[in-house]
Amino acid sequence: MNVNRLIVFNRTFRIGERLLGCHIRHAGKEELRLQQRRTIKTHSRHLAYAKDLFLGQVNKTEVFPYPEIGNEELEEMKQLVAPVEKFFSEEVDSAKIDQEAKIPPETLNGLKDLGLFGIMIPEEYGGLGLSNTIYARLNEIIALDGSIAVTLAAHQAIGLKGILIAGSEAQKQKYLPKLASGEHIAAFCLTEPGSGSDAASIQTRATLSEDGKHYLITGSKFWISNGGMADIMTVFARTEVEVDGVKKDKISAFIVERAFGGITSGKPEDKLGIRGSNTCELSFDNVPVPVENVIGEVGGGFKIAMNILNSGRFSMGSSCAGMIKKLIELTSEYAVTRKQFNKSLSEFGMIQDKFATMALNAFVMESMAYLTAGMMDRPGLPDCSVEAAMVKVFSSEGGWICVSEALQVLGGLGYTKNYPFERYVRDCRILPIFEGTNEILRMYIALTGMQYAGKVLTGRIKEMKKGNIGLALGMASKKLKTSLGASVDLGLTGKDGVVHPSLETIVDEQLILKRVADVLINMYAMTAVLSRASRSISIGLRNHDHEVLLANTFCNDAFFKNNYWMVQLQKHSPENDDANIKKIAKQVLENRAYICSHPLERTY
Amino acid sequence: GHSHHQTAHPGPPPSHRHFHSSPACTKSQPARFVNNEEDKTRQKSLVTHDDLFEQVAKEAKTKATFNKVIDFYTKGDIRRRGHVEFIYAALKKMPEFGVEKDLAVYNKLLDVFPKEVFVPRNFIQRMFNHYPRQQECGVQLLEQLENFGIMPNIETKVLLVRIFGEKSHPMRKYQRIMYWFPKFKHINPFPLPTQLPEDPVDLARFSLTRIANDLDAKVTVYQLPCTDITESGAEVTLPHIVGIQSPSQMEQLARHNPQRPVFVEGPFPLWLRKTCVHYYVLRADPTPPEEKVEEPSDPERCLSYPLQLDLDLDLDLGDDESFDVEDLDEGPVFAMCMTSQGDQATLNQWISGLQQSNPILGQIPTLFRLDTGPRELRDVADAESPNPGEEDEATVEEEPRRSQGMK
């Protein structure tokens, strides 16, 4: 129904929309294409889904039907999946990798033979040239061992992604073949001791040499996955760029080979989990990097970094789902056989609750991951960064909870090293931290959405103020429909649909943004789940009634949580304890300790 | 033997007119066949399409020969006269040739229809069931496809569109098939594989796991089928005995009161598509309510929380939840078995085998209540053979024989 409303909008004031088009879209190329699309069709395809949720608009055409792959592609995928599964079940000894904090070279060679080092590299450069969807499917199996998953992800999802998406033809020809075969391993070097989440504050410098042919990179990078064994690194450093006659420091991306010399790697970090993955410090001491090795243009590193990080996130959904599915198998075997109080564990309600949680989480994560992958695989290069961030946040937190519950079912046995559960718990703890901490991603989701929605709405207000009758009528009809109960009001917009001007300092209101992001994440999850369940019923997949059950249960739960958070968002509602939380935190942090008097203290 | 059929004349003589081909002579010889089919057809005066198939059927009934007949028909005459009758005949002959479940053959048969002739060109034609016989024939073809449970593919759709157009009865039927069939594909919660195991032991194992439907149940093969030659030279075939029992059944049997007998009942039929196998059941009658022993609830059973709340409540008539009309106690089933020869001796063997893992069977009287089912050739009267109660410590080779009372 909202789509229809937008068709009405489109037809009445096309000009206004086209003006707005300039404001809304980030990438210029996309904007042009969209403008061209708008002139041809009467109703343009909205390539954004999550961002339009902020406007209270559900783009059903984007998410229904659930993205499918053709029969041939499915067969091909099954052919690929079988040997990988066999490899991981027979030849990967996860316990040994965890204990020795090292992946044995035979295992790495096996992975190289399977082609898992170049899944998304096009075939002309020697990779497998597969789509996002199949990459996500393979990740389901690779995630059975956390260290291997992180090594591979650091190599291809971020390490060589820069060359893949922004590199020149020459750079691709030079580096991608060896990277695809696994002969060279890639790493992504952005984080420094002083800048983790704050990536723009990096201190590593790249200065142009006198002859103008090399950049000399000096600095140190920290917590670099694959740092000890990487041959090709994507390094981000500050360069001096002239913008309108003013010298500024902007970040650029460089392809640095270890062979250039001057690179030293520290000793591998001793970590809680993913111990098999090599994480170490890298120091660059005047490393000469040829000018041809700059990715994109000098000073354009920030955008490249954003694109790289945003494109690899969605696969965490399928990785976590694959891991949870494995855990369900292991745990249920135990729960059915173990007996206490003359009943098997599976007859107790609290244990059943844990299994239901695991099944629900796996279902939602899978649905979200493959929906996002399917949307990304569509022609037109849609910008699914917000959706990918939502998948990452939900999956990392859901994965952590499920793994913890699985260990709980096994009780004491789960706590010992004889069973893999404690290793899964340790490996999962990193998920909410790396690839963008969940806190940062929540801010990203909330603020990107609000910026998009705000621009659209303020644009409309400006139009209305200019006296555009059509727009005014449109707003009036929208008001009428809302009062008749036809549309969904997210409550993010205030009176007249304007984002309230007092929200200019919204960036500082993290507690509000957290709730907004949580609501939106739940909504996207509900969409994914409903889309998938609808498709399952329509085509009659096996056990689709179970899927419907999972979908209904999750949506029920998410709906009530959303409502509660929305109520909490109101500034003066009794459910909103933001002011109290801030006060507590302030007092604790001022004193840098817990400040209450001890309960046993006396005054008289 | 092509020799003794001199086909000098270019076409059939006017007196031997085929029912379905033009009286005009064909300029060129129709497609040469390796066997002398076409010559045979010329000998007869009235040839139906059935005969075409029957002639080919004499040699080999395979997909290749079936396809050959279709090719012979389609390439014979561009006009495709009598294609409706041909298709009906072919549909009837499909099961004989064994191609009734092959979608490629159906598509090839659908290809026999001339294209684009039957597509309605305006709304009047669309309204008035354009070319009704052909549409009915198309529908019948799809009907047979549907009856054999084959899912049509994109080629079928393309063919139907080219032959009948978008708004035709066969197209509508195709759409209905494509709506329902995917929904029905996985509708069976206990699907049977298309090929059942051939080996009787494997078949027995498969059927027993299907009946038990319990992942914990264990299948034991007590005896493999073999043919022995006794000293007197007579051949004795030993039947296979495959049994199944789950750990919970074992526990229940261990708790069974040795005073009450257990019964071996059977044979009960189990139908797996077109195969019928028989199984036997070891069961007991439900314990009568006066004998039900309720263990007094031990308050110290659970250290953490009370297993029963002692609240001294007075229960009303409506609060009695211990009785439910639908809650029928049919008595426990302790084990099941399958064997090709369901006589008392074989089943005795089974019980002895069971006794290895359930020693209490040595003390419980076992009664054999066997039906003289369709497989029983000799009279096995309901022999009541109460066990004197001795423990069977015989080794495996010597089957411990229970003393037979009346026979």
Side-chain angles (χ1 to χ4, degrees), chain B residues 55-103:
Chain B
Q55 278 149 26
V56 181
K58 279 180 202 139
E59 300 131 38
K61 291 193 182 182
T62 59
K63 180 175 167 178
T65 42
F66 194 86
N67 282 343
K68 246 201 259 182
V69 178
I70 303 182
D71 281 331
F72 174 62
Y73 176 81
T74 48
K75 289 175 183 124
D77 192 353
I78 187 86
R79 291 173 201 79
R80 307 255 175 104
R81 299 223 172 187
H83 57 273
V84 175
E85 282 81 10
F86 177 77
I87 293 180
Y88 277 128
L91 285 176
K92 213 161 56 166
K93 293 283 176 186
M94 268 183 161
E96 283 176 24
F97 281 74
V99 290
E100 73 272 14
K101 302 224 176 177
D102 194 338
L103 180 61

Side-chain angles (χ1 to χ4, degrees), chain A residues 506-555:
Chain A
I506 188 72
V507 184
D508 298 322
E509 301 286 339
Q510 285 207 346
L511 292 170
I512 296 182
L513 291 176
K514 172 179 190 279
R515 289 199 191 95
V516 169
D518 281 338
V519 166
L520 264 302
I521 292 172
N522 264 356
M523 290 196 65
Y524 185 62
M526 285 199 272
T527 325
V529 140
L530 288 172
S531 172
R532 177 180 169 180
S534 317
R535 173 177 174 258
S536 297
I537 308 177
S538 305
I539 63 175
L541 290 178
R542 188 173 286 285
N543 293 330
H544 63 259
D545 50 342
H546 187 71
E547 285 191 40
V548 170
L549 187 61
L550 289 174
N552 284 338
T553 318
F554 175 75
C555 287

Side-chain angles (χ1 to χ4, degrees), chain A residues 366-385:
Chain A
E366 261 184 340
S367 316
M368 280 170 87
Y370 286 107
L371 179 63
T372 317
M375 275 164 58
M376 283 166 74
D377 279 340
R378 287 200 188 132
L381 301 174
D383 178 26
C384 294
S385 50

Side-chain angles (χ1 to χ4, degrees), chain A residues 333 336-337 339-342 348 537-544, chain B residues 179 182-183 185-186 188-189 191 216 251 301-305 307:
Chain A
E333 200 48 60
V336 166
T337 41
K339 286 202 172 195
Q340 290 285 271
F341 307 115
N342 286 336
F348 292 106
I537 308 177
S538 305
I539 63 175
L541 290 178
R542 188 173 286 285
N543 293 330
H544 63 259
Chain B
Y179 178 79
K183 293 189 207 289
K185 195 164 179 194
H186 294 295
N188 189 352
D216 286 328
E251 283 169 30
R301 179 68 187 82
C302 177
L303 287 178
S304 343
Y305 58 88
L307 286 173

Side-chain angles (χ1 to χ4, degrees), chain A residues 113-389:
Chain A
D113 290 334
L114 284 166
L116 293 176
F117 273 79
I119 300 179
M120 290 183 62
I121 299 181
E123 284 177 338
E124 61 230 22
Y125 303 111
L128 293 179
L130 298 173
S131 61
N132 288 319
T133 318
I134 309 209
Y135 177 64
R137 176 67 185 93
L138 285 172
N139 259 343
E140 271 189 45
I141 313 164
I142 300 175
L144 294 176
D145 185 275
S147 315
I148 296 182
V150 168
T151 309
L152 285 177
H155 167 82
Q156 55 187 328
I158 46 176
L160 52 85
K161 229 7 160 19
I163 310 176
L164 201 55
I165 55 181
S168 66
E169 193 53 44
Q171 288 167 340
K172 286 184 189 177
Q173 289 283 358
K174 185 169 175 202
Y175 293 111
L176 285 183
K178 291 233 171 86
L179 286 169
S181 67
E183 212 181 304
H184 287 162
I185 298 188
F188 184 80
C189 304
L190 176 58
T191 314
E192 291 179 12
S195 37
S197 288
D198 184 12
S201 73
I202 54 176
Q203 295 298 312
T204 307
R205 285 211 73 86
T207 41
L208 200 52
S209 60
E210 288 87 40
D211 59 1
K213 290 209 185 125
H214 285 95
Y215 276 97
L216 299 169
I217 299 187
T218 312
S220 67
K221 298 285 183 187
F222 184 54
W223 289 335
I224 306 300
S225 296
N226 297 346
M229 47 193 202
D231 303 294
I232 314 275
M233 289 159 259
T234 309
V235 181
F236 290 82
R238 288 192 168 281
T239 45
E240 222 174 56
V241 176
E242 244 191 64
V243 175
D244 304 326
V246 181
K247 283 208 171 140
K248 277 194 183 169
D249 264 348
K250 286 210 156 237
I251 301 176
S252 312
F254 299 91
I255 307 176
V256 177
E257 293 178 44
R258 194 180 279 270
F260 291 161
I263 305 179
T264 42
S265 38
K267 74 168 181 45
E269 302 271 351
D270 194 11
K271 303 187 290 292
L272 169 68
I274 52 166
R275 289 167 58 77
S277 150
N278 177 296
T279 314
C280 65
E281 188 179 335
L282 282 176
S283 313
F284 299 91
D285 187 14
N286 278 325
V287 179
V289 177
V291 183
E292 305 84 60
N293 274 19
V294 175
I295 305 181
E297 39 177 67
V298 178
F302 178 70
K303 215 137 143 234
I304 295 174
M306 292 303 297
N307 285 339
I308 296 175
L309 291 170
N310 287 341
S311 62
R313 284 201 182 110
F314 69 95
S315 64
M316 194 178 286
S318 58
S319 313
C320 282
M323 184 191 63
I324 294 179
K325 288 193 270 195
K326 185 78 201 288
L327 283 177
I328 291 180
E329 277 171 23
L330 296 173
T331 323
S332 55
E333 200 48 60
Y334 179 80
V336 166
T337 41
R338 167 96 170 162
K339 286 202 172 195
Q340 290 285 271
F341 307 115
N342 286 336
K343 290 205 273 186
S344 76
L345 285 191
S346 55
E347 294 179 50
F348 292 106
M350 294 202 202
I351 304 288
Q352 290 168 347
D353 181 36
K354 293 186 206 299
F355 280 102
T357 312
M358 287 198 271
L360 279 167
N361 270 317
F363 181 66
V364 177
M365 284 177 206
E366 261 184 340
S367 316
M368 280 170 87
Y370 286 107
L371 179 63
T372 317
M375 275 164 58
M376 283 166 74
D377 279 340
R378 287 200 188 132
L381 301 174
D383 178 26
C384 294
S385 50
V386 180
E387 287 87 347

Side-chain angles (χ1 to χ4, degrees), chain A residues 366-542:
Chain A
E366 261 184 340
S367 316
M368 280 170 87
Y370 286 107
L371 179 63
T372 317
M375 275 164 58
M376 283 166 74
D377 279 340
R378 287 200 188 132
L381 301 174
D383 178 26
C384 294
S385 50
V386 180
E387 287 87 347
M390 289 176 173
V391 173
K392 194 264 179 188
V393 172
F394 188 90
S395 312
S396 51
E397 294 188 349
W400 173 238
I401 292 173
C402 286
V403 144
S404 200
E405 297 280 88
L407 192 151
Q408 180 80 5
V409 171
L410 259 83
L413 280 180
Y415 205 63
T416 61
K417 286 222 178 221
N418 302 333
Y419 286 79
F421 295 86
E422 52 84 33
R423 189 183 66 239
Y424 279 113
V425 166
R426 283 185 291 115
D427 286 345
C428 278
R429 189 55 190 92
I430 191 68
L431 291 177
I433 299 174
F434 73 178
E435 283 214 60
T437 47
N438 282 6
E439 286 76 23
I440 293 291
L441 287 181
R442 285 194 160 94
M443 298 281 289
Y444 172 71
I445 294 169
L447 287 172
T448 320
M450 283 191 171
Q451 185 172 46
Y452 172 82
K455 287 223 164 106
V456 170
L457 293 171
T458 46
R460 281 191 206 152
I461 294 298
K462 283 187 191 143
E463 288 293 310
M464 201 157 73
K465 284 185 185 161
K466 279 189 212 162
N468 188 335
I469 308 289
L471 178 47
L473 283 177
M475 301 283 266
S477 73
K478 183 161 84 161
K479 270 258 144 87
L480 192 63
K481 269 194 194 161
T482 322
S483 62
L484 292 175
S487 69
V488 177
D489 183 16
L490 279 183
L492 289 171
T493 54
K495 192 157 109 51
D496 296 326
V498 182
V499 177
H500 206 269
S502 75
L503 292 181
E504 266 167 10
T505 51
I506 188 72
V507 184
D508 298 322
E509 301 286 339
Q510 285 207 346
L511 292 170
I512 296 182
L513 291 176
K514 172 179 190 279
R515 289 199 191 95
V516 169
D518 281 338
V519 166
L520 264 302
I521 292 172
N522 264 356
M523 290 196 65
Y524 185 62
M526 285 199 272
T527 325
V529 140
L530 288 172
S531 172
R532 177 180 169 180
S534 317
R535 173 177 174 258
S536 297
I537 308 177
S538 305
I539 63 175
L541 290 178
R542 188 173 286 285

